[in-house]
Amino acid sequence: MTEAPVEAAAADVDLETLISLAKRRGFVFPSAEIYGGFASTYDYGPLGVEMKRNVRELWWRRMVQERSDVVGIEAAIITNPAVWEASGHVDGFSDPLVDCLECRSRIRADHIENDTCPVCGVVGRFTEERQFNLLFRTFVGAVQDDAAVAYLRPETAQGMFVNFDNVLQSTRRRLPFGIAQIGKSFRNEITTGHFTFRMLEFEQMEMEYFCDPAESIELHEYWKQERLDWYRSLGVRPERLRMRDHDPEELSHYSSATSDVEYLYPWGWGELEGIAHRGDFDLSAHAASSGKTLSYFDPQREEHIVPHVVEPAAGVDRIMLTLLVDAYDEETDDRGEKRVLLRLAPHVAPVTVAVLPLSRNERLAPTARQVWDQLRPHFRTQFDDAQSIGRRYRRQDEVGTPLCVTVDFDSLDDGAATIRDRDTMSQIRVPISGLVEALQQRIDELQPEG
Ligand code: ATP
């Protein structure tokens, strides 16, 4: 399988630096910060929300719109609890937990190495292991009794399984085909931390690929490669990505084989996306539980089969964290001044082009505004005329804006503006009338392969 090169180095940004940048520049805020925040819950700010939309759209385009064999749905977050009983989540969606008797931290038993508490470092002082269910329970209706219990979905996948027949009937698909969905999921995670890596409320992008059981192993391999390629197309450094196959004892209750796309985070390798072979577990479970037939009629063989499923399941928030960690860089210039920059690919960056008049001089304002008006329909833009031009370049570098356009006094005479490149800091002069094309060309050149 694809393994990371031995010399792969973890990202050198520490999480505190990144969390502070994310807050200061409006990517991610602690949720309800004025009340002291809330465990593992975050809000996205103006730049974060733009970047998150880019991630979702890039996934949707690659997984649904550019393909001929995948369609999308949007299912409800709160649905009939019978779904979660049949799927095994009510009984089986749990983590093994222990308490450290020394520091009282609650820890996932499968996160403990060498019998040592990861919080206080004391060895062998744990309570017995207990299973802790991750489902968030709520009540539907006026009476809060057992009959009114419902759950916030812990994954989007079940929406695809319970709609399998509706999609099949309404779209007349042939195997193999996929159903994709992007939406919020909720898990009562006990061990949290690592910023947006593990949250209580997070967003998933999942696709269930239904196929002939005879082709499922091959398709599992296909999706593993396809998903790695997608991360590379976002510009994630290949040496910090790897594919890891689960050991049999690690597999979830529904899976017959799972591989994880892993990223080398500042704290080590961690799961970025799971690619599970779910077999016919879910369709069979829902058929048995609902009494409905959930199968596919194979016209060639003239028989009904229960398709197998390969599921690439990604998390938007984990991708956001990964992209920020991966893009973070620091440089020191000739004068010994530090430059912080996010080397985000243009299609991921929240702002693609910043328009910066050289100064606030009123002679420059109309032309600068005109340039901004011209660019807004084509790019994600920002206009900034506060402080010195050098500081404004640094501010754009720090949020990953790949290109800046500067309007100066010469622009008033020669009708040209300067395009300044984030990574190389090189500058070229182009006519304002050809700015859109020149910027687009540069953006295309900067786009990662894949
Ligand atoms: P982990 O082992 O880290 O708890 P998981 O194996 O339970 O993750 P899956 O059920 O495979 O995760 O979910 C698919 C994807 O959804 C994960 O790869 C991750 O990107 C995202 N995800 C899962 N749980 C969370 C969470 N609590 N916060 C943020 N993202 C999550």
Side-chain angles (χ1 to χ4, degrees):
M1 225 14 269
T2 331
E3 287 294 336
V6 199
E7 72 274 15
D12 36 23
V13 56
D14 65 89
L15 221 44
E16 291 313 310
T17 306
L18 198 75
I19 292 170
S20 138
L21 187 155
K23 183 183 155 193
R24 189 161 35 81
R25 302 309 312 276
F27 283 93
V28 184
F29 305 129
S31 188
E33 195 181 11
I34 59 167
Y35 290 103
F38 195 60
S40 294
T41 307
Y42 295 93
D43 297 341
Y44 288 89
L47 291 183
V49 83
E50 288 297 330
M51 188 168 154
K52 211 171 164 213
R53 290 178 76 97
N54 298 340
V55 170
R56 277 195 217 106
E57 272 166 32
L58 288 163
W59 187 90
W60 194 259
R61 215 185 297 151
R62 177 88 164 222
M63 297 294 278
V64 182
Q65 294 172 337
E66 288 177 1
R67 298 187 65 97
S68 59
D69 55 354
V70 179
V71 293
I73 62 164
E74 260 185 47
I77 287 173
I78 299 176
T79 186
N80 194 323
V83 170
W84 306 109
E85 279 152 26
S87 67
H89 285 86
V90 173
D91 287 334
F93 191 51
S94 49
D95 282 340
L97 287 187
V98 295
D99 291 338
C100 172
L101 293 167
E102 200 64 37
C103 70
R104 311 228 160 266
S105 302
R106 197 148 278 181
I107 305 151
R108 247 168 78 169
D110 55 334
H111 286 176
I112 294 175
E113 284 176 13
N114 305 323
D115 209 19
T116 305
C117 173
V119 180
C120 70
V122 169
V123 179
R125 297 261 295 141
F126 299 111
T127 57
E128 286 293 302
E129 204 173 291
R130 284 161 301 129
Q131 291 298 323
F132 181 84
N133 193 288
L134 301 170
L135 284 179
F136 271 113
R137 275 155 60 102
T138 186
F139 300 95
V140 173
V143 187
Q144 300 205 345
D145 62 13
D146 283 352
V149 166
Y151 303 96
L152 302 192
R153 68 177 176 201
E155 60 175 30
T156 65
Q158 296 304 321
M160 278 75 101
F161 296 121
V162 299
N163 279 297
F164 169 76
D165 205 49
N166 283 336
V167 172
L168 194 60
Q169 298 308 328
S170 59
T171 63
R172 309 181 143 269
R173 293 270 142 186
R174 289 272 180 97
L175 289 186
F177 73 91
I179 310 179
Q181 168 164 221
I182 300 179
K184 288 264 178 152
S185 293
F186 304 81
R187 296 183 188 176
N188 194 0
E189 301 272 8
I190 294 304
T191 48
T192 49
H194 292 157
F195 201 24
T196 65
F197 184 83
R198 195 176 300 286
M199 298 158 82
L200 305 184
E201 174 186 336
F202 54 100
E203 198 165 345
Q204 289 189 305
M205 307 193 287
E206 298 191 294
M207 197 274 288
E208 309 306 315
Y209 199 69
F210 298 93
C211 60
D212 190 317
E215 294 176 352
S216 63
I217 302 295
E218 203 180 312
L219 284 165
H220 189 227
E221 291 302 317
Y222 163 81
W223 280 107
K224 281 159 67 175
Q225 189 57 49
E226 164 59 17
R227 297 305 301 146
L228 261 187
D229 290 348
W230 185 70
Y231 286 105
R232 292 185 184 134
S233 80
L234 297 187
V236 179
R237 299 173 210 215
E239 68 274 17
R240 291 193 197 151
L241 280 174
R242 76 174 183 191
M243 187 66 76
R244 188 181 70 81
D245 296 330
H246 279 210
D247 296 331
E249 63 272 16
E250 270 184 277
L251 294 174
S252 315
H253 64 273
Y254 52 74
S255 178
S256 43
T258 295
S259 305
D260 288 342
V261 179
E262 292 192 334
Y263 180 79
L264 191 49
Y265 294 98
W267 61 90
W269 289 101
E271 171 180 336
L272 172 55
E273 163 162 350
I275 303 164
H277 186 313
R278 294 179 79 129
D280 64 359
F281 177 88
D282 305 87
L283 287 181
S284 296
H286 286 302
S289 180
S290 67
K292 300 284 189 297
T293 305
L294 295 178
S295 62
Y296 169 84
F297 182 72
D298 185 330
Q300 258 123 43
R301 281 187 266 171
E302 297 199 339
E303 61 179 16
H304 285 274
I305 58 170
V306 180
H308 278 195
V309 173
V310 176
E311 174 201 72
V316 181
D317 313 272
R318 253 183 223 187
I319 296 176
M320 288 285 288
L321 174 62
T322 306
L323 290 171
L324 292 173
V325 164
D326 200 65
Y328 187 92
D329 204 0
E330 287 177 8
E331 278 180 1
T332 310
D333 69 15
D334 322 341
R335 285 171 295 168
E337 270 180 45
K338 193 171 92 170
R339 177 167 91 113
V340 172
L341 67 163
L342 294 182
R343 296 188 189 273
L344 293 170
H347 57 347
V348 164
V351 177
T352 33
V353 181
V355 179
L356 315 174
L358 187 67
S359 73
R360 268 197 173 153
N361 187 299
E362 61 189 32
R363 279 177 58 217
L364 287 181
T367 311
R369 291 264 158 193
Q370 218 180 331
V371 166
W372 191 30
D373 291 345
Q374 185 190 335
L375 300 185
R376 267 203 315 281
H378 302 276
F379 308 102
R380 292 184 297 278
T381 62
Q382 204 172 65
F383 185 89
D384 187 5
D385 63 1
Q387 300 181 315
S388 77
I389 187 74
R391 290 184 79 158
R392 279 180 280 150
Y393 281 147
R394 293 290 180 272
R395 286 172 60 78
Q396 295 297 334
D397 291 342
E398 204 188 27
V399 300
T401 306
L403 299 170
C404 292
V405 170
T406 311
V407 175
D408 56 23
F409 291 100
D410 290 341
S411 307
L412 306 180
D413 299 327
D414 65 3
T418 302
I419 299 179
R420 182 262 193 189
D421 200 286
R422 175 196 67 205
D423 293 343
T424 61
M425 294 191 282
S426 62
Q427 306 195 354
I428 53 166
R429 194 95 182 140
V430 294
I432 289 173
S433 58
L435 253 184
V436 171
E437 291 73 20
L439 288 164
Q440 192 55 56
Q441 191 188 336
R442 188 67 194 122
I443 285 169
D444 293 344
E445 285 164 8
L446 291 170
Q447 216 68 267
E449 305 265 312

